[in-house]
Amino acid sequence: AADAAATASKKEPENTASALFEQILHIDTDEWDVEIPKGIEAADVSKDALISEVQKTMEGVVLGLENGSMAQRVQAEYLRELVTRIEAV
């Protein structure tokens, strides 16, 4: 039972970071500078956990789309900008 609780608590921050990441994706980029710090504080998520979620998605974008395609470049740039904004918090 203790192992299950430890596993659940380890997964919880990722799930919270994942949920926050989803929220951020649904808001306008002009609002990121205000909403990212609010979301991190409200969800009690570390910047590193949130950046990790973004990077996991970025890896999927890079691997999942045609190499060098415009879609791949645009989506990767969007996610890189998000990482930059999170790091600035």
Side-chain angles (χ1 to χ4, degrees), residues 6-26:
T7 303
S9 68
K10 285 180 187 174
K11 288 184 179 181
E12 195 172 304
E14 284 184 21
N15 292 340
T16 305
S18 179
L20 178 56
F21 176 47
E22 285 292 322
Q23 281 183 301
I24 292 168
L25 289 177
H26 287 91

Side-chain angles (χ1 to χ4, degrees), residues 53-71:
E53 283 296 320
V54 177
Q55 288 173 335
K56 281 192 255 179
T57 301
M58 199 179 309
E59 289 170 7
V61 166
V62 169
L63 295 173
L65 295 173
E66 184 180 336
N67 193 25
S69 69
M70 183 58 76

Side-chain angles (χ1 to χ4, degrees), residues 19-40:
L20 178 56
F21 176 47
E22 285 292 322
Q23 281 183 301
I24 292 168
L25 289 177
H26 287 91
I27 61 174
D28 191 76
T29 56
D30 293 336
E31 297 175 25
W32 280 357
D33 292 334
V34 173
E35 295 299 323
I36 291 170
K38 275 202 261 180
I40 288 173

